[in-house]
Amino acid sequence: MTSDEFRVLTAVEMGSKNHEIVPLSLIAQIAGLRHGGSHKIIGELAKKNLVSKIKNAKYEGYRLTYGGYDYLALKTFVKRRSVYSVGNQIGVGKESDIYIVADENENQLALKIHRLGRVSFRAIKSKRDYLQKRKSASWIYMSRLAAMKEYAFMKVLYDNRFPVPQPIDQVRHCVVMELIDAYPLRQITEVKDPGKLYSDLMNLIVRLAKHGLIHGDFNEFNILVKDNGDPILIDFPQMVSISHPNAEWYFNRDVECIRTYFRKKYNYESMLYPQFQLDVNREFDLDVQVSASGFTKQHQQELEAYQAQLNENQDENVTEVLQLSENYNDDVMEILNEDTNISYPDLKEHHENVSKSELTEEESNNDSEGL
Ligand code: ADP
Ligand code: MG
């Protein structure tokens, strides 16, 4: 990518803060290039799928694609030396894509790209003020919020010795973290000691709550189980504080998820399970620490409102999906790798895992729709 192309792409991102469709004249102005110059360059970016031209607009306008936003984020990671190369995709969820990446020393890491608004936000009839203000570029904003939240919680948990991946870096809608060499519980057919895992997990739920936190999506897809049987918890964008008005409901749902899974899958049922009123007495305030870290209460509310609306509009919001090409991710990774002139480390070992985790994620989405 030429430096002028990069300028123009950055200009589109900046313009997106106030415009859902960014007029070319504004792009040219921000980029500081002559109108004719920007016109040619934006055409190149559109060919590479980093921006898309919006037809039917009153003026010539463009929108950043996921690919364009990915590119900008990855470029920053490379600059900060958190990431050096991008490898295989190992997971795809409704609201994220997971890749294996590596740093300069060929340490393999996991890159989680948040994709809120994979389903267009415009299809959601917003009643809430702060979201209405944010309607333009909302997928960019919401995806970034989710990444900020995930990173903030993961950091506080990791620093307090909870079994979570080590957070490495966060930029825009992306989080880089430790790659855990383990599969989700869902994919593990045989657990040596279900009783021990069950109590480890319940203890984890209680320990979190004593620290002021509820995971909110504590299920067999978000628990990785290592060879030695130890669980690692992932996926934090829906965490809530135990001061949340519905804390008890979230807490019970997490507990119930585990009970149900163990009953169905391992025919394991225990009389013992944690109860919010009895077992949760706050001892620490990690929830407060998180809001001090930059992910504020306001951010939390915005994300919650977004998630609530998604749930309210489950049928409608399938109608419009943001403009993307099918293989935009490959495009971006290719451009990035050309740019930085890097070679892939040997990621073969993980390659065969790809299809497996994709399969499970699909099942995961089906499952969760019923809730
Ligand atoms: P989503 O929000 O889409 O559910 P998750 O964070 O749960 O995303 O990740 C989806 C899948 O990707 C997980 O089920 C797991 O298989 C894999 N994964 C995510 N993070 C890691 C990691 N740090 N190490 C290894 N695998 C991971
Ligand atoms: Mg998950």
Side-chain angles (χ1 to χ4, degrees), residues 177-209:
M177 67 184 104
E178 176 188 0
L179 177 70
I180 305 293
D181 187 14
Y183 290 109
L185 176 59
R186 171 68 182 232
Q187 280 172 240
I188 299 171
T189 34
E190 231 165 286
V191 168
K192 270 172 238 143
D193 187 350
K196 176 171 183 303
L197 183 58
Y198 176 92
S199 68
D200 282 353
L201 293 174
M202 292 305 186
N203 287 337
L204 188 50
I205 292 177
V206 172
R207 193 174 145 219
L208 280 169

Coordinates of all heavy atoms in Angstrom, one line a residue, residues 177-209:
M177 N -4.1 -11.8 22.3 CA -3.9 -12.5 23.6 C -3.1 -13.7 23.5 O -2.9 -14.2 22.4 CB -5.3 -12.8 24.2 CG -6.1 -13.8 23.4 SD -7.8 -14.1 24.0 CE -8.7 -13.2 22.8
E178 N -2.8 -14.3 24.6 CA -2.1 -15.6 24.6 C -3.0 -16.6 23.9 O -4.2 -16.7 24.0 CB -1.9 -16.0 26.1 CG -1.3 -17.3 26.4 CD -1.4 -17.7 27.8 OE1 -1.9 -16.9 28.6 OE2 -0.9 -18.8 28.2
L179 N -2.3 -17.5 23.1 CA -3.0 -18.6 22.5 C -3.0 -19.8 23.4 O -1.9 -20.2 23.8 CB -2.3 -18.9 21.2 CG -2.8 -20.1 20.4 CD1 -4.2 -19.8 19.8 CD2 -1.9 -20.6 19.3
I180 N -4.2 -20.2 23.8 CA -4.3 -21.3 24.7 C -4.3 -22.6 24.0 O -5.0 -22.8 23.0 CB -5.6 -21.2 25.6 CG1 -5.6 -19.8 26.3 CG2 -5.6 -22.4 26.6 CD1 -4.6 -19.6 27.4
D181 N -3.4 -23.5 24.4 CA -3.3 -24.8 23.7 C -4.4 -25.8 24.3 O -4.0 -26.7 25.1 CB -1.9 -25.4 23.9 CG -1.7 -26.6 23.0 OD1 -2.5 -26.9 22.2 OD2 -0.7 -27.3 23.3
A182 N -5.6 -25.5 24.0 CA -6.7 -26.4 24.5 C -7.9 -26.2 23.7 O -8.1 -25.2 23.0 CB -6.9 -25.9 26.0
Y183 N -8.8 -27.1 23.8 CA -10.1 -27.1 23.1 C -11.2 -26.6 24.1 O -11.1 -26.8 25.3 CB -10.4 -28.4 22.5 CG -9.6 -28.8 21.4 CD1 -8.6 -29.8 21.6 CD2 -9.7 -28.2 20.2 CE1 -7.8 -30.2 20.5 CE2 -8.8 -28.5 19.1 CZ -7.9 -29.6 19.3 OH -7.1 -29.9 18.2
P184 N -12.3 -26.1 23.5 CA -13.4 -25.8 24.3 C -14.0 -27.1 24.9 O -14.0 -28.1 24.2 CB -14.4 -25.1 23.3 CG -13.6 -24.7 22.1 CD -12.4 -25.6 22.1
L185 N -14.6 -26.9 26.1 CA -15.2 -28.1 26.7 C -16.2 -28.8 25.8 O -16.2 -30.0 25.8 CB -15.9 -27.6 28.0 CG -16.7 -28.6 28.8 CD1 -15.9 -29.7 29.3 CD2 -17.4 -27.9 30.0
R186 N -16.9 -28.0 25.0 CA -17.9 -28.6 24.1 C -17.3 -29.7 23.2 O -17.9 -30.6 22.8 CB -18.5 -27.5 23.3 CG -19.3 -27.9 22.1 CD -20.6 -28.5 22.6 NE -21.4 -29.0 21.6 CZ -22.7 -28.7 21.4 NH1 -23.3 -27.9 22.3 NH2 -23.4 -29.1 20.4
Q187 N -16.0 -29.5 22.8 CA -15.4 -30.5 21.9 C -14.7 -31.7 22.6 O -14.2 -32.6 21.9 CB -14.3 -29.8 21.1 CG -14.9 -29.0 19.9 CD -13.9 -28.1 19.2 OE1 -14.0 -26.9 19.2 NE2 -12.8 -28.8 18.7
I188 N -14.7 -31.6 23.9 CA -14.0 -32.7 24.6 C -15.0 -33.8 25.0 O -16.0 -33.6 25.8 CB -13.3 -32.1 25.9 CG1 -12.3 -31.1 25.4 CG2 -12.7 -33.2 26.7 CD1 -11.7 -30.3 26.5
T189 N -14.8 -35.0 24.4 CA -15.8 -36.0 24.6 C -15.6 -36.7 25.9 O -16.6 -37.1 26.6 CB -15.7 -37.1 23.5 OG1 -14.4 -37.2 23.1 CG2 -16.6 -36.6 22.3
E190 N -14.4 -36.8 26.3 CA -14.1 -37.5 27.6 C -13.4 -36.6 28.6 O -12.3 -36.2 28.4 CB -13.4 -38.8 27.4 CG -14.1 -40.0 28.0 CD -13.5 -41.3 27.5 OE1 -13.8 -41.6 26.4 OE2 -12.7 -41.9 28.3
V191 N -14.1 -36.4 29.7 CA -13.5 -35.7 30.8 C -13.2 -36.7 31.9 O -14.0 -37.5 32.3 CB -14.5 -34.6 31.4 CG1 -14.0 -34.0 32.7 CG2 -14.6 -33.5 30.3
K192 N -11.9 -36.7 32.4 CA -11.4 -37.7 33.3 C -12.3 -37.7 34.6 O -12.7 -38.7 35.0 CB -9.9 -37.5 33.6 CG -9.0 -38.2 32.7 CD -7.5 -37.8 32.9 CE -6.9 -37.3 31.6 NZ -6.0 -36.2 31.9
D193 N -12.4 -36.5 35.1 CA -13.1 -36.4 36.4 C -14.2 -35.3 36.4 O -13.9 -34.2 36.8 CB -12.0 -36.1 37.5 CG -12.6 -36.2 38.9 OD1 -13.9 -36.3 39.0 OD2 -11.8 -36.2 39.9
P194 N -15.3 -35.6 35.9 CA -16.4 -34.6 35.7 C -16.7 -33.9 37.0 O -16.9 -32.7 37.1 CB -17.6 -35.3 35.2 CG -17.1 -36.6 34.6 CD -15.8 -36.9 35.4
G195 N -16.6 -34.6 38.1 CA -16.9 -34.0 39.5 C -15.9 -32.9 39.8 O -16.3 -31.9 40.3
K196 N -14.7 -33.2 39.5 CA -13.7 -32.2 39.8 C -13.8 -31.0 38.9 O -13.8 -29.8 39.4 CB -12.3 -32.8 39.7 CG -11.2 -31.7 39.9 CD -9.8 -32.3 40.0 CE -8.8 -31.2 40.3 NZ -8.8 -30.1 39.4
L197 N -14.0 -31.2 37.6 CA -14.2 -30.1 36.7 C -15.4 -29.2 37.1 O -15.4 -28.0 37.1 CB -14.3 -30.6 35.3 CG -14.4 -29.5 34.2 CD1 -13.2 -28.5 34.3 CD2 -14.6 -30.0 32.8
Y198 N -16.5 -29.9 37.4 CA -17.7 -29.3 37.9 C -17.4 -28.3 39.1 O -17.8 -27.2 39.1 CB -18.8 -30.3 38.3 CG -20.1 -29.8 38.8 CD1 -21.1 -29.5 38.0 CD2 -20.2 -29.6 40.2 CE1 -22.3 -29.0 38.5 CE2 -21.4 -29.1 40.7 CZ -22.4 -28.8 39.9 OH -23.6 -28.3 40.4
S199 N -16.7 -28.9 40.0 CA -16.5 -28.0 41.2 C -15.5 -26.9 40.9 O -15.6 -25.8 41.4 CB -16.2 -28.8 42.5 OG -14.9 -29.4 42.3
D200 N -14.5 -27.2 40.1 CA -13.6 -26.1 39.7 C -14.4 -25.0 39.0 O -14.1 -23.8 39.3 CB -12.6 -26.6 38.6 CG -11.5 -27.5 39.3 OD1 -11.4 -27.5 40.5 OD2 -10.7 -28.1 38.5
L201 N -15.3 -25.3 38.2 CA -16.1 -24.3 37.4 C -17.0 -23.5 38.4 O -17.1 -22.3 38.3 CB -16.9 -24.9 36.3 CG -16.0 -25.5 35.2 CD1 -16.8 -26.3 34.1 CD2 -15.2 -24.4 34.5
M202 N -17.7 -24.2 39.3 CA -18.5 -23.5 40.2 C -17.7 -22.6 41.1 O -18.1 -21.5 41.4 CB -19.4 -24.5 41.0 CG -20.4 -25.3 40.2 SD -21.5 -24.2 39.3 CE -22.7 -25.4 38.6
N203 N -16.6 -23.1 41.6 CA -15.7 -22.3 42.4 C -15.3 -21.0 41.6 O -15.1 -20.0 42.2 CB -14.5 -23.1 42.8 CG -14.8 -24.1 43.9 OD1 -15.8 -24.0 44.6 ND2 -14.0 -25.1 44.0
L204 N -15.0 -21.2 40.4 CA -14.6 -20.1 39.5 C -15.7 -19.0 39.5 O -15.5 -17.8 39.6 CB -14.3 -20.6 38.1 CG -13.6 -19.6 37.2 CD1 -12.4 -18.9 37.8 CD2 -13.2 -20.4 35.9
I205 N -17.0 -19.5 39.3 CA -18.1 -18.6 39.3 C -18.2 -17.8 40.6 O -18.4 -16.6 40.6 CB -19.4 -19.3 39.0 CG1 -19.4 -19.9 37.5 CG2 -20.6 -18.4 39.2 CD1 -20.6 -20.7 37.2
V206 N -18.0 -18.5 41.7 CA -18.1 -17.9 43.0 C -17.0 -16.9 43.2 O -17.2 -15.8 43.7 CB -18.2 -18.9 44.1 CG1 -18.1 -18.3 45.5 CG2 -19.5 -19.7 44.0
R207 N -15.8 -17.4 42.8 CA -14.6 -16.5 43.0 C -14.8 -15.2 42.2 O -14.4 -14.1 42.7 CB -13.4 -17.3 42.6 CG -12.1 -16.6 43.1 CD -10.9 -17.5 42.8 NE -9.7 -16.6 42.5 CZ -8.9 -16.9 41.5 NH1 -9.0 -18.0 40.8 NH2 -7.9 -16.1 41.3
L208 N -15.3 -15.3 41.0 CA -15.5 -14.1 40.2 C -16.5 -13.2 40.9 O -16.2 -12.0 41.0 CB -16.1 -14.5 38.8 CG -15.2 -15.1 37.8 CD1 -16.0 -15.6 36.6 CD2 -14.3 -13.9 37.2
A209 N -17.5 -13.8 41.4 CA -18.6 -12.9 42.1 C -18.0 -12.3 43.3 O -18.3 -11.1 43.6 CB -19.8 -13.8 42.4

